[in-house]
Amino acid sequence: MPRLCAADLLALALPAGTRLLAGHAGLERAVTRPVLMRTRAPAFPRFSGGELALLSTAGLRLLDEPLSLERVLTALHAQGAGAVAVQGTVSPQACTIADTLALPLFALPPDCTLADVERAAARALSDAHAQAYQRSRALYQELLACATAGAGLEAVARRAATLAGSAVAIELCTPSQLRALALPEGAEPLSSHTQAALEAALFQQQPELVTALAAERLDAADPPVLRRTFPARHSAWPARVVAPVVREGTVAGLFSVLSGRDRPTIDERLVAAAGAAVAAVVLAQEEAVLSAEERLQARLLKNLLAGPALARAVLRSSATRLGLDPGRPAVPVTLHVHGSAGILGALREVRRALDALGLRAPAVAQDEVITVVLPGDGSCDHMSASALAERLRQTVAAIAGKQVSAGVSLPAALPELKQRWREAVEALELGRRVLGPGRTASYRQLTLYRLLRAAPDRGELQRFYLDALGPLHDYDARAGGHLVHTLAVFIECGYSPTAAAARLQMHRNGLLYRLERIRALTGYDLSSPETRLTLEVALRIRRLLDAEAPELSHTPESESVEHRPPPPSRNGTMQAAP
């Protein structure tokens, strides 16, 4: 339950005629009980935090060691006082200190008695705390009834808006989204422009609020409440009161009551706290249901892709339960999120990417690989499947902020789905090795690499490479040249000198000189189709052998020569590139 704060004192606990002199920035400080200054040491008992200190400037002069109000304010702030009420003359210096400390400083009327103020304030605060507690429980029960009826956060927000008499917003933090925005019954609906501006203002304040709330004691059932002002353009709501929706000890969302007052009422704060507590319950229920659905989906998908052979009727039933159309081809895509904190976190990022793309597709994680079965259509071919996989890979990478690799095979009807999935797994693994991480590898694109990898004699592959490119290899090793790399880039650029020179960041004439040097060393006619085929196969053999060398990390040929792996030597060992 949110505590009473210094802003409530004028209305609830202090005598008529009391004025707020300074410390306006601290009006949200919690206030628990009044404490009267004694005229003997110690002037105040030990504070536990949130006390309303009552004193008079005349009483300060009666102490054995007279104290100035300025020193007392500093000491009371250090002890955690919530506010100070003074009878007597208050100097400008004392007001300055109160402003600096954000400690509310009230001036009591001269005709009141401090002992009477203490008794009246204690009684008023006690009654207000009791009423707030009862109101808080009633609000919680009423909002919880909406939640348990299965109406979701939207219904909770609508009921909370009616109870508070003001607009209510429920935000989620990961990812940032506005789950619900509700107005009181009978209120005029917001225009699209106003709603868009409001959402922007909410999200703009979200990072700072999450940080501020995370520093508080987080209790899902009794969350803290903060107040924030809104930009001037939102004149209908000068301020908002915000309570965190707490899940597993962290701020999972924000429950806000948008107040039409500069200082929100106690009831608005109570609605925000009760609403946040109920929203935490709703989120826990949603996660439990989602977890059960995910477990069932994962079991069905694993059986479909890696389990024993299934009868056609079982295949169709499983596909339907997974949200797939049994009559249409599907595209299995495998993904690996590099540097992810865990496979389940990576799976959540993949699901967020699917939502962002508007794709309804089952996904499952196993052995650091995430499999997504994307729905295809009758016209889905190899090229469109690869394009769809690349779009998903890029979206996951953007959301995760990490490098993502993907593998994809051909679209498949249900009976062929298991084989196509195995091909997508192989494409992911082989593509990461020979093409490098952060790319989408197609099973068909890797046909030559698969053929070469199937060769039983690695020595024969190495001999082919050296027979084809041995002179360039020897030149590079001897003279510190880059001819093998230059040739690889030239081939990757479609045998275009201009494109290859741009890729290598060198002058075109310099590239032409290197190509002439390659011709002189090898005798190759680079325009001959047979020669081109031989060179391309040799370079792919090198990539494959480099990828299979366990002591070396893979770097694709297209990267800068300073970071490429060393080529194999003539005697079959690996030697360092200059």
Side-chain angles (χ1 to χ4, degrees), residues 261-279:
R261 308 165 184 81
D262 288 330
R263 292 290 168 189
T265 65
I266 296 175
D267 213 51
E268 288 172 332
R269 299 203 303 272
L270 293 175
V271 170
V278 171

Side-chain angles (χ1 to χ4, degrees), residues 51-243:
E51 284 80 4
L52 166 63
L54 301 172
L55 58 94
S56 69
T57 53
L60 292 176
R61 293 191 293 270
L62 296 177
L63 294 170
D64 294 336
E65 182 182 347
L67 295 175
S68 67
L69 180 57
E70 293 80 4
R71 285 184 59 191
V72 170
L73 290 176
T74 302
L76 290 174
H77 178 267
Q79 291 192 52
V84 178
V86 180
Q87 190 177 52
T89 303
V90 178
S91 68
Q93 293 83 359
C95 291
T96 300
I97 289 175
D99 282 332
T100 302
L101 300 176
L103 179 63
L105 178 61
F106 295 94
L108 295 170
D111 56 349
C112 68
T113 304
L114 289 182
D116 292 340
V117 172
E118 180 190 26
R119 285 190 294 270
R123 184 167 55 252
L125 288 174
S126 177
D127 290 346
H129 278 298
Q131 292 171 8
Y133 177 78
Q134 293 174 358
R135 175 63 173 160
S136 175
R137 298 310 300 168
L139 290 170
Y140 178 82
Q141 294 298 331
E142 187 162 353
L143 295 177
L144 186 62
C146 291
T148 53
L153 288 177
E154 292 75 13
V156 172
R158 288 194 298 271
R159 187 59 187 151
T162 298
L163 291 170
S166 193
V168 164
I170 303 177
E171 306 163 63
L172 297 186
C173 299
T174 308
S176 292
Q177 60 173 300
L178 186 63
R179 272 291 300 267
L181 177 62
L183 301 175
E185 288 185 12
E188 289 290 329
L190 302 179
S191 67
S192 58
H193 174 75
T194 301
Q195 181 162 336
L198 176 59
E199 288 185 31
L202 291 170
F203 291 147
Q204 184 179 9
Q205 291 185 344
Q206 190 181 97
E208 183 274 329
L209 278 167
V210 170
T211 301
L213 288 165
E216 302 281 337
R217 184 184 66 87
L218 293 179
D219 183 341
D222 186 15
V225 175
L226 298 182
R227 170 190 169 275
R228 288 293 184 273
T229 57
F230 252 179
R233 62 181 177 274
H234 298 292
S235 56
W237 303 294
R240 64 190 287 207
V241 282
V242 190

Side-chain angles (χ1 to χ4, degrees), residues 1 136-137 140 216-224 243-253 255 272-284:
M1 182 191 75
S136 175
R137 298 310 300 168
Y140 178 82
E216 302 281 337
R217 184 184 66 87
L218 293 179
D219 183 341
D222 186 15
V245 181
V246 180
R247 291 289 300 129
E248 298 178 353
T250 62
V251 180
F255 193 105
V278 171
V281 174
V282 174
L283 288 185

Side-chain angles (χ1 to χ4, degrees), residues 330-345:
V331 181
V333 178
T334 52
L335 299 147
H336 176 77
V337 181
H338 299 268
S340 177
I343 189 64
L344 294 181

